[in-house]
Amino acid sequence: PLGAFHASVTKRFRDAYQEPAKSEQFGPAKVELTIDASGGVRSYRLAQSSGSSLNDQALLAAAEAVKQKGVGAPPESKPRVVSVNFVPY
């Protein structure tokens, strides 16, 4: 169940992400989402920069979009920190 929950959060994040129109080279990044027992995103942070300020802003915008929608309750309704690893295609 926990793996499915993490996969669901990652999918929501990727669906919300929009690569910047003015593309710079960027590398892998990590965003951490703190999720409460009811599935609300309480906070998020850029745990690892992609090396591009434009892309980092896009990642944080995606995290904010996920925060606005929520993600559904985690397994056993226990608060979780979910790390979303983002690797450019």
Side-chain angles (χ1 to χ4, degrees):
L2 189 54
F5 177 72
H6 281 251
S8 172
V9 173
T10 298
K11 181 179 182 334
R12 287 176 189 258
F13 182 86
R14 291 190 182 283
D15 288 348
Y17 171 77
Q18 294 181 8
E19 187 172 326
K22 182 181 175 186
S23 188
E24 301 174 349
Q25 292 282 55
F26 56 89
K30 184 188 316 185
V31 176
E32 290 181 350
L33 305 162
T34 302
I35 301 166
D36 67 21
S38 65
V41 177
R42 291 291 151 229
S43 63
Y44 55 84
R45 73 182 190 95
L46 185 64
Q48 178 185 341
S49 171
S50 69
S52 162
S53 62
L54 287 175
N55 191 60
D56 288 351
Q57 290 171 11
L59 292 167
L60 292 172
E64 179 63 27
V66 172
K67 180 180 180 181
Q68 295 302 316
K69 292 180 181 178
V71 296
E76 301 172 12
S77 295
K78 290 183 179 177
R80 306 275 182 203
V81 175
V82 176
S83 294
V84 177
N85 294 305
F86 183 85
V87 179
Y89 298 113

